Amino acid sequence: MRGLTPGLLAETATRDTFAGLETWQIALWYGLIVASVAIFVYGVLRLFLKYRRGRGHEKLGNARERAERVVRVVFTHAWIRRRDSMAGLGHLLVFYGFMVLFAGTVILAFQDDFANPVLSFEFWHGWFYKLYSLFLDVFGAALVVGLTFFAVKRGILRPFRLRYWRPAEPAEPLRDQPRRYELGDWVFLGSLFFLALTGFLLESFRIAADNPSFEVWSPVGYAIGQGFRGLGFEDGAAADARAVNWWVHGVFALFWVSSIPFTKAVHMLAGPAGVAAKDDRAGNRLAPLPAGAKAADVGYAFIDSLLPKHLLDLDACTKCGKCHAACPATATGYPLSPRDLVLDLREVAEGSMGNRAALGIEPTFPEHAQLIGTIKPETLWSCMQCMACVEICPVGIEHVPIINQMRRALVEKGEMDGQLQQTLETIYTSGNSFGETSRKRGRWTRDLDFDVKDIRKGPAEVLWFVGDYASFDPRNQKVSRSLAQILRRAGVDFGILYDGERTAGNDVRRVGEEGLYADLAEENVATISGCSFDRILTSDPHSFNTLKNEYPQFGGEWDVVHHSQLLLELIESGRLRVKKGLGYRVTYHDPCTLGRYNGVYDPPRQVLEALGAELVEMPRNRDNSLCCGAGGGRIWMKELKGEDSPRPSELRIDEAVGLGDIDYFVVACPKDVTMYEDAIKTSGHQGEIELRELSELVYESLALA
Amino acid sequence: MSVLIVAEHRRGKVRPITLEMVSAAKELGDETAVAVIAKDPAAIADQVDVEGVNEILYVKVDAEGFENDVYREALEQVISDRSPHVVLVGFSIDSMGFAPALAAKLGLGFASDVFALRRDGDDLVAERSFYGSKVNAELDFPNTERVLLMIRPTAWPPAEGDGAAVSAEVDVTISASRARHVDFQEVAASEDVDITGADFLLSVGRGVGEKENVGQFEELADKMGATLSVSRPLVDQGWMPSSRQVGQSGKTVKPKVYLALGISGAVQHLAGMKTSGTIIAINTDPEAAIFNVAHYGAVADLFEVAEELEKLY
Amino acid sequence: MKVLVAVKQVAILGDEVEFTEDDRDVDPDYLDYALNEWDSYATEEALRLVEAAGSGEVVVISVGDEDAEDSMRRCLAMGADRGIRVESVRTLDPIQVARALAEVVRSESPDLVFAGVQSSDSVQAATGGALAGLLDMPLVAVVTKIELGDGKATVNRELEGGLVDVVEVDTPAVITIQTGINEPRYATLRAIKQAEDKEIDVRQPGDLGPQAQRVRRMFVPPKGEGAEMLDGGAAEVAQRIKELVEEKMA
């Protein structure tokens, strides 16, 4: 490399954009630009029109917060980097590479088409030019490096999430999709490579031809250019090559831009839009039915029943597969992959209302296309509504609410398995999923040596909403008794609703029986409103979620705590004296509805710490916790997992045992208690690990204090 | 109190309920007649000539087998002819086709699924259960002169011994049979097992949970040397053929050992198995009715017990 | 085609019970209520027949107080067109119920009348039959399959032990429906609530005639000595079962 001599700086660093082009060619070039932009705008408009065909609208409040979020998430790649730093880095390189190159073009266009002719202001020379060149070269190289990362990931590393293997056969019209996606992704990657390559070549040919000294400021192009010169490829030959390459690169670039709304590149627009429009409460607060809804209005029965935001979600998907990798159903052979569901829905949307429909490219679907059939009911029923997909999606897709809405349509048609139908009818008749009479709700208190207050009859500090499993299931009744005794020891003034309690309804709603849910919620709100208390305690995360986030929709807004939070509070305030005496080696399973849904990760851990237990984290913990398989009403449905697969709960116990020498598998949810007690036996690990609910450990430590 | 029993028979054979009703009649009256309504009553009459029967009425009709209208019309005339105080029919599917209609038309006293009877002076007191068999009630019939009772199968032992009944013919005219027997169909495929012949039955009920779990119990039954049978809900769901069903509308079984897993003991099921030699019942509900008829029981989870049994065999 | 379906709101007793003062019935506080299981099969069957015929109506009829309309609404939500309720107190014997229903049937002149084989609370298995007797209509009881013809129907009567009796019955007729004949469709609560718009005509009963049965007293049956309960966990129980089987099969 030559050094920077004063002589060097004397040469004017700039270049002629349209060197060697005749006027008509420049005119053609601008004509192509206009055409390309026009097609791009047309494509984007068509997208808007497609989304507008959706039904309803979400009120997007907090514009300022959303704007901040988008800027932050997009520019730091916060969501893309999660759980895969290599992909995150790769995409950062591609993104910034692309952005800088794009900005470079804009700057140049600004100068050539506005600043210079209109304002007679020319800045694209000298130091500006040199720094500009440097930047673009470095970021162009970064782009290439990033693309290489992706090629290596896809071609060599082949992680699970990028494989288009599907757990279940897609419907007939979509049978070819996996193949097309693979091909399409490589073509896309290839097209970006091609752009970068031709861009560098363009530079290199020019440098090979003209060899201006200041072009050391374009290190990559300079190096390649010198290489060409070294091979004897210079002057006229290089100039000719440059001329050809100029058009190749230019036209391809314009073509690429115009194709953005029609290809995978659309995620550049739809992704950030999805991030901006994402419902923060997606999944943990579902939308009620509009009043007077008719059968056809219920849920997503047709493609144009989707909210515009959800139609946007379908386009935002880049097939990154993070949801596919996170999903407990996919991992255990259920006929569901959240990625494939989104992609299948996209095909229907495109084929019915989108560009493909307009152009008549198969597969097409009728305008008011029915979703069931193309999407199989068992796919939707496989979902555990655990939110692992929504949690990890880099572009803010809301799989869980979409599935929920589709379930509503299934339920409306009565399209569900017999067991689920039976359970819903049981809940309707007896107000709980066990089919027991309401009188039996308080029976678990009989074995206590004190009376538990009936909060309907007198005030108390805490209204303990016990929940079905904790009231009726024998193993969970033990936990309830432990908690009751803890509360008494801590001097907490609490009461329960006895036979006034109904199923909180969280899972009824997640199953899609919105009418029954509303009925249960209204009843509970009325009963609770008649009581006098400061706050609501629940030992069931499912009840916790709906009481806290969704009951306000029915006029019930109270301060709701989960027992892990209350236990921590009592310990920290000294009301509950525990000794750091439990020297157990434990691991903790984050319940979906407590953790991912509501962000309560620390209180249970802090409680365990206060008890003196040694916590060994599960390999997949906190927001990456693996669902036990009971969520979304699945505990009421028949098994749909793959024949040779273990159940999600068995998989989880295997994980726990794999940590080595664990005394207790600690849970904080009654359904987890049920699922994991069973899984410990059926996974063949009985004797190797035992289950304890958090309250049971606290209770044990009380005996020591 | 004079009692008229309507013999229940099918394809030439008298069904056990008929003889059980003779035992029931002994509690009430001195005069017991059995009406045999058939195309050829003589061919069946021998089977009902047991101790306790005073008279056998031959009621000849044209119909080959059971037909509602035939029985109803015939009985109307027999009742009018013989004026019994009490008419007994079995609480069975055939009887459901004519007995309530007869009682309504003639304004008789009526009760069904009766499992105990007694006389209280001139009154007839019948016992049956209510509210899903959770409570019992004693009924009487103050408003009517004649009473028709549908008797629960297996509530009484069948009467035995040789009788010395007189026979009499009763002529009846049937105006119309509007529900006519066409054919019998054996729903059970011949390849399937006849559970009534088995010595050891392993029976599962709703506790089994899902269709997929049934296979596990089929295997266990095999290992233990038992035949698998089921209660009605599993047949209703289509998980097992009705040939495997034990119960009032299924088969009545009397094996040496009846092992009931996850069966609560609905009355209709008990009717089909409670005379088994040894009944062992496993259920998570300590209040399950099956424990009332079982000889041995345990409050346990059927899957846990099944798993342990698998290890032992 | 018009099909009438007689439905009942049955009472469900938990495992705790108190009786009324006169000991003739259970204290209503201890009861929950629901649509009789057999009647949802009957309603479903009626809906299927009318849907297959292309036109017609399904009318649900019931005898009971205002609360009984809850069960009728379930049927209306499933798709029945309208309902007729005969106002009455719950404790009626099946013959009296049949007399109340008979008036309604006479006024409607249906092609078919369905009833469940029995109700899950009283298990009398009599109302349908009694209704046929009062109306002098043809009857088939305990039916698991129906095929309509011209002026008649071919039905399967389910006998004990898995045997089926194929019967040809003249129509109009009364048919009592057995469980398992079909899969009753689910009625969402939304549909149940909107069924409030469907008409339920309330009528007063005429002469119900004499009671066919009278309750002298109602009581909790004494538990027999019951089973010898086995101790221990699943393993001990299984061991004991094996021993018993060996002993008894010898």
mmCIF file of all heavy atoms in Angstrom, chain A residues 321-343:
data_model
loop_
_atom_site.group_PDB
_atom_site.id
_atom_site.type_symbol
_atom_site.label_atom_id
_atom_site.label_comp_id
_atom_site.label_asym_id
_atom_site.label_seq_id
_atom_site.Cartn_x
_atom_site.Cartn_y
_atom_site.Cartn_z
ATOM 1 N N GLY A 321 -37.016 -19.782 11.995
ATOM 2 C CA GLY A 321 -37.202 -21.054 12.681
ATOM 3 C C GLY A 321 -36.961 -21.028 14.175
ATOM 4 O O GLY A 321 -36.937 -22.083 14.810
ATOM 5 N N LYS A 322 -36.798 -19.859 14.776
ATOM 6 C CA LYS A 322 -36.562 -19.843 16.222
ATOM 7 C C LYS A 322 -37.778 -20.347 16.973
ATOM 8 O O LYS A 322 -37.656 -21.005 18.007
ATOM 9 C CB LYS A 322 -36.195 -18.433 16.671
ATOM 10 C CG LYS A 322 -34.764 -18.091 16.337
ATOM 11 C CD LYS A 322 -34.377 -16.730 16.892
ATOM 12 C CE LYS A 322 -32.880 -16.523 16.716
ATOM 13 N NZ LYS A 322 -32.469 -15.172 17.126
ATOM 14 N N CYS A 323 -38.967 -20.055 16.441
ATOM 15 C CA CYS A 323 -40.176 -20.540 17.109
ATOM 16 C C CYS A 323 -40.264 -22.054 16.978
ATOM 17 O O CYS A 323 -40.623 -22.758 17.913
ATOM 18 C CB CYS A 323 -41.414 -19.872 16.516
ATOM 19 S SG CYS A 323 -41.619 -20.095 14.738
ATOM 20 N N HIS A 324 -39.892 -22.540 15.817
ATOM 21 C CA HIS A 324 -39.886 -23.981 15.527
ATOM 22 C C HIS A 324 -38.982 -24.704 16.515
ATOM 23 O O HIS A 324 -39.315 -25.778 17.014
ATOM 24 C CB HIS A 324 -39.384 -24.137 14.095
ATOM 25 C CG HIS A 324 -39.373 -25.509 13.534
ATOM 26 N ND1 HIS A 324 -40.496 -26.115 12.998
ATOM 27 C CD2 HIS A 324 -38.373 -26.386 13.368
ATOM 28 C CE1 HIS A 324 -40.171 -27.301 12.531
ATOM 29 N NE2 HIS A 324 -38.890 -27.504 12.742
ATOM 30 N N ALA A 325 -37.839 -24.075 16.810
ATOM 31 C CA ALA A 325 -36.895 -24.703 17.728
ATOM 32 C C ALA A 325 -37.337 -24.581 19.171
ATOM 33 O O ALA A 325 -37.002 -25.422 20.003
ATOM 34 C CB ALA A 325 -35.521 -24.069 17.559
ATOM 35 N N ALA A 326 -38.099 -23.559 19.487
ATOM 36 C CA ALA A 326 -38.504 -23.349 20.876
ATOM 37 C C ALA A 326 -39.765 -24.114 21.246
ATOM 38 O O ALA A 326 -40.036 -24.324 22.425
ATOM 39 C CB ALA A 326 -38.740 -21.853 21.126
ATOM 40 N N CYS A 327 -40.542 -24.510 20.243
ATOM 41 C CA CYS A 327 -41.872 -25.062 20.510
ATOM 42 C C CYS A 327 -41.818 -26.457 21.133
ATOM 43 O O CYS A 327 -41.213 -27.361 20.556
ATOM 44 C CB CYS A 327 -42.670 -25.113 19.217
ATOM 45 S SG CYS A 327 -44.310 -25.816 19.392
ATOM 46 N N PRO A 328 -42.465 -26.661 22.279
ATOM 47 C CA PRO A 328 -42.452 -27.996 22.898
ATOM 48 C C PRO A 328 -43.258 -29.011 22.088
ATOM 49 O O PRO A 328 -42.962 -30.198 22.111
ATOM 50 C CB PRO A 328 -43.114 -27.754 24.268
ATOM 51 C CG PRO A 328 -43.866 -26.493 24.131
ATOM 52 C CD PRO A 328 -43.196 -25.678 23.088
ATOM 53 N N ALA A 329 -44.244 -28.552 21.377
ATOM 54 C CA ALA A 329 -45.040 -29.475 20.558
ATOM 55 C C ALA A 329 -44.209 -30.007 19.402
ATOM 56 O O ALA A 329 -44.189 -31.206 19.117
ATOM 57 C CB ALA A 329 -46.295 -28.768 20.041
ATOM 58 N N THR A 330 -43.506 -29.093 18.729
ATOM 59 C CA THR A 330 -42.664 -29.516 17.611
ATOM 60 C C THR A 330 -41.606 -30.499 18.093
ATOM 61 O O THR A 330 -41.300 -31.477 17.425
ATOM 62 C CB THR A 330 -41.982 -28.293 16.957
ATOM 63 O OG1 THR A 330 -42.963 -27.308 16.690
ATOM 64 C CG2 THR A 330 -41.283 -28.681 15.674
ATOM 65 N N ALA A 331 -41.067 -30.216 19.292
ATOM 66 C CA ALA A 331 -39.977 -31.057 19.804
ATOM 67 C C ALA A 331 -40.428 -32.475 20.120
ATOM 68 O O ALA A 331 -39.614 -33.376 20.227
ATOM 69 C CB ALA A 331 -39.392 -30.427 21.062
ATOM 70 N N THR A 332 -41.736 -32.655 20.302
ATOM 71 C CA THR A 332 -42.192 -33.990 20.673
ATOM 72 C C THR A 332 -43.154 -34.556 19.640
ATOM 73 O O THR A 332 -44.029 -35.349 19.954
ATOM 74 C CB THR A 332 -42.839 -33.981 22.071
ATOM 75 O OG1 THR A 332 -43.759 -32.899 22.143
ATOM 76 C CG2 THR A 332 -41.791 -33.824 23.141
ATOM 77 N N GLY A 333 -42.979 -34.143 18.419
ATOM 78 C CA GLY A 333 -43.684 -34.798 17.324
ATOM 79 C C GLY A 333 -45.160 -34.506 17.192
ATOM 80 O O GLY A 333 -45.872 -35.243 16.527
ATOM 81 N N TYR A 334 -45.657 -33.445 17.814
ATOM 82 C CA TYR A 334 -47.052 -33.070 17.598
ATOM 83 C C TYR A 334 -47.173 -32.546 16.167
ATOM 84 O O TYR A 334 -46.208 -32.038 15.605
ATOM 85 C CB TYR A 334 -47.464 -31.948 18.544
ATOM 86 C CG TYR A 334 -47.761 -32.375 19.949
ATOM 87 C CD1 TYR A 334 -46.741 -32.711 20.823
ATOM 88 C CD2 TYR A 334 -49.067 -32.403 20.421
ATOM 89 C CE1 TYR A 334 -47.015 -33.081 22.119
ATOM 90 C CE2 TYR A 334 -49.350 -32.768 21.725
ATOM 91 C CZ TYR A 334 -48.321 -33.109 22.576
ATOM 92 O OH TYR A 334 -48.592 -33.462 23.869
ATOM 93 N N PRO A 335 -48.366 -32.629 15.587
ATOM 94 C CA PRO A 335 -48.518 -32.110 14.232
ATOM 95 C C PRO A 335 -48.577 -30.576 14.186
ATOM 96 O O PRO A 335 -49.437 -30.002 13.528
ATOM 97 C CB PRO A 335 -49.841 -32.725 13.767
ATOM 98 C CG PRO A 335 -50.587 -33.012 15.008
ATOM 99 C CD PRO A 335 -49.580 -33.314 16.065
ATOM 100 N N LEU A 336 -47.688 -29.922 14.908
ATOM 101 C CA LEU A 336 -47.698 -28.460 14.928
ATOM 102 C C LEU A 336 -46.281 -27.920 14.888
ATOM 103 O O LEU A 336 -45.411 -28.365 15.644
ATOM 104 C CB LEU A 336 -48.361 -27.950 16.218
ATOM 105 C CG LEU A 336 -48.112 -26.464 16.565
ATOM 106 C CD1 LEU A 336 -48.813 -25.543 15.576
ATOM 107 C CD2 LEU A 336 -48.573 -26.156 17.979
ATOM 108 N N SER A 337 -46.061 -26.958 14.015
ATOM 109 C CA SER A 337 -44.863 -26.136 14.122
ATOM 110 C C SER A 337 -45.343 -24.712 13.950
ATOM 111 O O SER A 337 -45.986 -24.400 12.938
ATOM 112 C CB SER A 337 -43.853 -26.476 13.034
ATOM 113 O OG SER A 337 -43.012 -25.363 12.809
ATOM 114 N N PRO A 338 -45.058 -23.827 14.894
ATOM 115 C CA PRO A 338 -45.554 -22.456 14.766
ATOM 116 C C PRO A 338 -45.039 -21.791 13.489
ATOM 117 O O PRO A 338 -45.771 -21.048 12.830
ATOM 118 C CB PRO A 338 -45.019 -21.747 16.010
ATOM 119 C CG PRO A 338 -44.130 -22.703 16.697
ATOM 120 C CD PRO A 338 -44.316 -24.047 16.128
ATOM 121 N N ARG A 339 -43.804 -22.109 13.116
ATOM 122 C CA ARG A 339 -43.265 -21.545 11.877
ATOM 123 C C ARG A 339 -44.098 -21.979 10.680
ATOM 124 O O ARG A 339 -44.498 -21.180 9.848
ATOM 125 C CB ARG A 339 -41.825 -22.011 11.688
ATOM 126 C CG ARG A 339 -41.223 -21.588 10.355
ATOM 127 C CD ARG A 339 -39.969 -22.366 10.018
ATOM 128 N NE ARG A 339 -40.282 -23.770 9.760
ATOM 129 C CZ ARG A 339 -39.369 -24.736 9.725
ATOM 130 N NH1 ARG A 339 -38.113 -24.452 9.969
ATOM 131 N NH2 ARG A 339 -39.724 -25.970 9.484
ATOM 132 N N ASP A 340 -44.353 -23.276 10.613
ATOM 133 C CA ASP A 340 -45.076 -23.796 9.452
ATOM 134 C C ASP A 340 -46.508 -23.290 9.417
ATOM 135 O O ASP A 340 -47.082 -23.083 8.348
ATOM 136 C CB ASP A 340 -45.048 -25.323 9.458
ATOM 137 C CG ASP A 340 -43.630 -25.848 9.326
ATOM 138 O OD1 ASP A 340 -42.803 -25.131 8.721
ATOM 139 O OD2 ASP A 340 -43.354 -26.938 9.813
ATOM 140 N N LEU A 341 -47.080 -23.081 10.596
ATOM 141 C CA LEU A 341 -48.435 -22.539 10.634
ATOM 142 C C LEU A 341 -48.446 -21.135 10.032
ATOM 143 O O LEU A 341 -49.285 -20.813 9.187
ATOM 144 C CB LEU A 341 -48.943 -22.491 12.074
ATOM 145 C CG LEU A 341 -50.315 -21.864 12.237
ATOM 146 C CD1 LEU A 341 -51.382 -22.706 11.586
ATOM 147 C CD2 LEU A 341 -50.651 -21.666 13.708
ATOM 148 N N VAL A 342 -47.500 -20.312 10.459
ATOM 149 C CA VAL A 342 -47.427 -18.949 9.928
ATOM 150 C C VAL A 342 -47.190 -18.982 8.422
ATOM 151 O O VAL A 342 -47.836 -18.255 7.655
ATOM 152 C CB VAL A 342 -46.299 -18.159 10.633
ATOM 153 C CG1 VAL A 342 -46.023 -16.853 9.915
ATOM 154 C CG2 VAL A 342 -46.674 -17.887 12.077
ATOM 155 N N LEU A 343 -46.301 -19.840 7.997
ATOM 156 C CA LEU A 343 -46.004 -19.907 6.559
ATOM 157 C C LEU A 343 -47.200 -20.410 5.766
ATOM 158 O O LEU A 343 -47.499 -19.904 4.687
ATOM 159 C CB LEU A 343 -44.791 -20.810 6.324
ATOM 160 C CG LEU A 343 -43.473 -20.273 6.892
ATOM 161 C CD1 LEU A 343 -42.357 -21.293 6.711
ATOM 162 C CD2 LEU A 343 -43.092 -18.959 6.217
#
